[in-house]
Amino acid sequence: MARDTSAYLQDIFDACIAIEDVLVDVTLDDYRRYSSIRSSVEHKFIIIGEALRRISALDEPLFLFISNSRAIIHFRNLLAHDYGAVDDDSVFGLVHSDLIV
């Protein structure tokens, strides 16, 4: 069964909440230390990026309306395909500057 944009938007919302949940009371040192935390956060960012990629194919005006949508997909590609280039400090900073309110 084909999914619609609302399902992908829900995936994005759920992934954002999951990132917030896993990082409650987590310091940068904790984030650096525990690969399980990093893996969880990175996996949710991959879901966010993939959902946006699929939205781009279904509803381009909505995709273009979402701030930084292309950069988010690029970040997803970095995490999935060039994981060695991922900087933990930058990911942690991104979460705190752009995701957690």
Side-chain angles (χ1 to χ4, degrees):
M1 176 184 215
R3 298 182 84 215
D4 64 5
T5 55
S6 65
Y8 293 118
L9 290 170
Q10 187 64 51
D11 291 344
I12 293 167
F13 178 78
D14 292 344
C16 289
I17 296 301
I19 291 170
E20 287 182 342
D21 287 348
V22 79
L23 290 181
V24 169
D25 298 325
V26 171
T27 66
L28 176 57
D29 287 336
D30 294 334
Y31 188 79
R32 289 178 187 142
R33 185 176 304 119
Y34 299 107
S35 65
S36 59
I37 294 172
R38 292 190 312 274
S39 294
S40 176
V41 169
E42 291 172 8
H43 176 71
K44 294 304 179 182
F45 273 120
I46 289 170
I47 289 172
I48 293 167
E50 182 62 18
L52 280 172
R53 187 190 69 76
R54 292 175 185 236
I55 288 170
S56 73
L58 293 172
D59 188 341
E60 187 175 7
L62 174 61
F63 174 74
L64 295 173
F65 180 76
I66 298 170
S67 299
N68 301 313
S69 54
R70 292 189 198 285
I72 295 166
I73 292 173
H74 176 73
F75 183 57
R76 176 252 180 241
N77 292 338
L78 175 76
L79 291 170
H81 302 294
D82 196 12
Y83 55 86
V86 175
D87 177 64
D88 296 335
D89 292 15
S90 296
V91 174
F92 189 83
L94 174 72
V95 169
H96 287 282
S97 66
D98 294 337
L99 187 66
I100 296 177
V101 288

